[in-house]
Amino acid sequence: MRFLALAAFLTVACQPAAALWPLPRNLQTGSSTLRLSKLFTITVAGGGVPNDLWDAIVRTEAQLAKDKLGRLVVGRGTSDAKSFAGAKTLSKLTLKLGSGHKFSTLTSDAQKAPEDRDEAYELVVPSDGSPATLTANSSLGLFRGLTTFTQLWYEYEGTTYTVSAPFKIEDSPAYPYRGLMLDTARNYFPVSDIKRTLDAMSAVKLNQFHWHVVDSQSFPIQIPGFTELSAKGAYSSSQVYTPQDVKDIIAYAGARGIDVMAEVDTPGHTSIIAEAHPEYIACPGATPWATYANEPPAGQLRFANATVTNYVANMFTAMVKMFPSTLFSTGGDELNTKCYDIDAPTQAALKESGSTLEQALDKFTQATHKSLTDKGKTPVVWEEMVLVHNVTLAPETKVLVWISSENVKAVAQSGHKLIHAASDYFYLDCGHGGWVGDFPSGNSWCDPFKTWQRAYTFDPVANLTAEEAKLVYGGQHLLWTEQSGPENLDTTVWPRAASSAELFWYGPGGDVAKALPRLHDLSYRLRKRGINSISLQPEWCALRDGVCDLTA
């Protein structure tokens, strides 16, 4: 199967079907022109079709009508026009479930545990004008196939067409978790920006929105029973996510095949809680901040205090009622012990209990994670909770490897499933210069800028044994937003984040030279859909495959 997929890759790389992103794992194409009928329709075989799948079909038909993307060749399709007269016309695409399968909602399929999501599909588009067929065993699989179908077509002077029919595609992801993390605490992003990001994610078959919703700088989410946190911790009363906003975002994501995993990073990165509960935070606002925190303002949970532990556990219980995902991230990174060294209440609590700081952290972690597992949720943590701290984690806990890709091996040896999020490959904020004030020579800590090529060439199983490789859950790009806001969200993320979308869908080993024409195509198509994806090269290069390669 891998040989066939590689052969298909080598074939399609020089074919007009190069628009497809991520690349299907098994793809066969032809060289015939096929037009899309102006009366083209999508039908579904059988009854019981869920409303959100019907909505996805309507959106697909709208994209086919509105994309109007000219083929990225010199003349933008002029040379294709002569083949239109003799071309057959496709009038119908029929969706159907595999034998023995029943419809469930697209949203419920998307919100299953990643390993339980069935995203496989088969798409057949004949060249003779007979109906195309899309078959899958789930609504989610059908939706992934619809996403692929929209990428087959170009437009020239009112004709929507392909020059690569027939198509036969058998496709499924290499890894179950394919995500994007957005930090909405350093800077606030309106709901409309999050929805647009979800649209772009869906276009490249990403399935996990990791929402780093709060941090030391702000607490913008309103949690029922804990509204004092956002009332005192949001930047303003207009910069909050209400329960209805959260519900709206989750529904919007689910209808696009995406699950939403919330993160409340504890016990570090919590200084903002002091605005509502100063008694819960150690060394609040301590200076110089660089001594007591990785970013200003300093302040961390007094986790040695049982009252604080109970408060956080109860907050998690309230939050999981808002988020149907099976995954919930409790963070656990960048804990600064110097903060606790100078915090008298923490030292008194440790002395009274006869515990060390690490023992208190273990107790806090077990209690807060129990509030999640009691509700059927799987905790997700940053790598320090495995590699730095001696805490007890449930076997099913997932671990985000972020500090360096060199730490993947050690995390795998812990036996936990891991999510690739290494700063040396997947951090979208790197390379924009230092953001701290009064430091004119400063650079970002994770320089240099991480190009799409860098992420695309990552090997998820490098240096792992065959058994350790089975622990790779997937991976994601991440945007920490010290220097990002609504004004540059799209241009910072897209199309770079699409590189990991293909890496974790198709698998490693792709050729950046052959991927570039397809990524050009994707970026142009995203712009047609209202996502401000950047240009990767001068258009002169985009229209001429390979001529701007360094060795051309």
Side-chain angles (χ1 to χ4, degrees):
M1 178 63 73
R2 291 292 294 169
F3 175 78
L4 290 174
L6 179 59
F9 177 85
L10 295 174
T11 299
V12 78
C14 58
Q15 293 287 333
L20 298 181
W21 194 286
L23 189 71
R25 300 182 76 196
N26 193 348
L27 168 65
Q28 299 174 37
T29 67
S31 56
S32 297
T33 299
L34 179 67
R35 295 180 298 170
L36 196 67
S37 171
K38 294 185 183 300
L39 300 177
F40 173 80
T41 59
I42 300 175
T43 63
V44 185
V49 181
N51 289 336
D52 57 3
L53 181 57
W54 276 124
D55 290 342
I57 290 170
V58 172
R59 290 198 307 274
T60 299
E61 292 175 335
Q63 288 168 346
L64 291 168
K66 295 177 181 179
D67 276 0
K68 298 187 183 302
L69 177 64
R71 198 155 70 86
L72 292 184
V73 293
V74 176
R76 301 303 300 273
T78 302
S79 60
D80 300 331
K82 61 181 179 292
S83 67
F84 293 168
K88 300 295 184 180
T89 300
L90 179 66
S91 299
K92 185 168 72 172
L93 169 65
T94 299
L95 278 56
K96 57 183 179 180
L97 287 181
S99 177
H101 293 273
K102 295 182 179 180
F103 282 110
S104 54
T105 66
L106 171 55
T107 298
S108 63
D109 285 350
Q111 292 173 350
K112 292 179 178 179
E115 61 271 24
D116 294 332
R117 300 171 195 165
D118 188 346
E119 300 178 86
Y121 66 92
E122 295 184 9
L123 175 62
V124 177
V125 182
S127 59
D128 62 2
S130 57
T133 57
L134 172 58
T135 307
N137 293 334
S138 68
S139 294
L140 182 58
L142 291 172
F143 179 70
R144 298 298 183 223
L146 286 173
T147 301
T148 298
F149 186 80
T150 67
Q151 295 181 344
L152 300 177
W153 307 95
Y154 297 100
E155 192 267 351
Y156 181 75
E157 293 189 347
T159 296
T160 302
Y161 70 100
T162 178
V163 291
S164 304
F167 297 92
K168 184 176 181 181
I169 298 171
E170 297 177 4
D171 202 12
S172 60
Y175 293 97
Y177 182 110
R178 306 175 311 282
L180 174 67
M181 191 217 77
L182 178 64
D183 160 24
T184 61
R186 269 75 177 201
N187 283 303
Y188 176 84
F189 294 81
V191 171
S192 60
D193 289 315
I194 295 175
K195 287 183 174 181
R196 192 176 64 258
T197 300
L198 293 167
D199 285 333
M201 290 176 63
S202 181
V204 294
K205 301 184 176 71
L206 290 174
N207 67 357
Q208 196 72 48
F209 178 54
H210 174 180
W211 191 0
H212 187 92
V213 64
V214 301
D215 211 288
S216 285
Q217 291 82 6
S218 77
F219 203 106
I221 187 172
Q222 293 179 351
I223 305 169
F226 298 82
T227 54
E228 75 278 7
L229 295 174
S230 57
K232 296 291 184 68
Y235 287 129
S236 73
S237 59
S238 64
Q239 292 171 293
V240 296
Y241 303 107
T242 67
Q244 183 56 48
D245 289 335
V246 172
K247 185 177 180 180
D248 191 21
I249 288 168
I250 290 170
Y252 195 90
R256 285 151 183 80
I258 300 168
D259 182 43
V260 180
M261 175 180 75
E263 178 184 352
V264 176
D265 198 351
T266 60
H269 292 269
T270 49
S271 176
I272 194 65
I273 291 176
E275 299 296 326
H277 292 286
E279 70 278 14
Y280 291 171
I281 299 298
C283 74
T287 57
W289 65 261
T291 299
Y292 302 107
N294 282 61
E295 286 189 7
Q300 302 174 147
L301 286 169
R302 286 177 172 146
F303 58 79
N305 183 321
T307 300
V308 174
T309 298
N310 290 336
Y311 181 86
V312 174
N314 291 335
M315 178 177 64
F316 285 174
T317 298
M319 283 196 74
V320 298
K321 294 177 182 178
M322 302 173 70
F323 290 88
S325 176
T326 63
L327 304 173
F328 188 95
S329 177
T330 64
D333 65 320
E334 297 183 328
L335 193 63
N336 189 305
T337 58
K338 292 180 180 179
C339 172
Y340 297 111
D341 291 341
I342 66 167
D343 188 64
T346 294
Q347 293 303 314
L350 293 174
K351 183 176 181 180
E352 181 179 353
S353 64
S355 301
T356 65
L357 190 67
E358 283 293 309
Q359 289 171 334
L361 178 62
D362 183 37
K363 187 175 181 179
F364 169 86
T365 302
Q366 289 192 58
T368 54
H369 280 201
K370 186 176 186 298
S371 71
L372 300 176
T373 56
D374 282 353
K375 299 298 181 180
K377 306 297 184 180
T378 299
V380 180
V381 297
W382 298 107
E383 65 180 72
E384 291 98 317
M385 298 300 276
V386 169
L387 301 183
V388 176
H389 302 295
N390 184 26
V391 297
T392 304
L393 299 174
E396 66 271 18
T397 303
K398 308 300 186 289
V399 181
L400 290 149
V401 182
W402 73 274
I403 295 174
S404 171
S405 57
E406 294 181 359
N407 296 341
V408 170
K409 179 78 171 179
V411 171
Q413 289 174 337
S414 75
H416 290 282
K417 287 193 173 181
L418 63 93
I419 299 166
H420 288 294
S423 61
D424 50 332
Y425 282 88
F426 301 115
Y427 270 31
L428 294 163
D429 56 304
C430 301
H432 292 288
W435 60 269
V436 295
D438 196 22
F439 190 31
S441 63
N443 290 312
S444 62
W445 72 271
C446 53
D447 271 5
F449 183 87
K450 303 301 183 282
T451 66
W452 74 266
Q453 296 99 317
R454 171 77 172 168
Y456 192 77
T457 57
F458 180 74
D459 183 356
V461 296
N463 303 316
L464 300 181
T465 67
E467 287 302 307
E468 290 167 349
K470 295 176 182 178
L471 296 173
V472 177
Y473 209 40
Q476 64 184 33
H477 266 92
L478 308 90
L479 179 58
W480 302 103
T481 61
E482 289 89 349
Q483 293 177 297
S484 293
E487 67 283 351
N488 69 338
L489 172 61
D490 291 7
T491 56
T492 301
V493 176
W494 305 107
R496 279 194 293 160
S499 59
S500 63
E502 177 155 303
L503 170 67
F504 294 109
W505 178 280
Y506 181 79
D511 185 318
V512 294
K514 293 169 181 172
L516 179 57
R518 292 185 296 108
L519 195 56
H520 277 311
D521 222 300
L522 173 69
S523 196
Y524 276 68
R525 194 177 294 275
L526 288 177
R527 290 200 291 270
K528 289 285 187 178
R529 298 181 184 179
I531 294 119
N532 195 21
S533 182
I534 66 166
S535 296
L536 296 171
Q537 288 181 320
E539 188 160 313
W540 189 89
C541 303
L543 302 181
R544 296 165 175 85
D545 291 357
V547 300
C548 294
D549 290 355
L550 184 62
T551 56

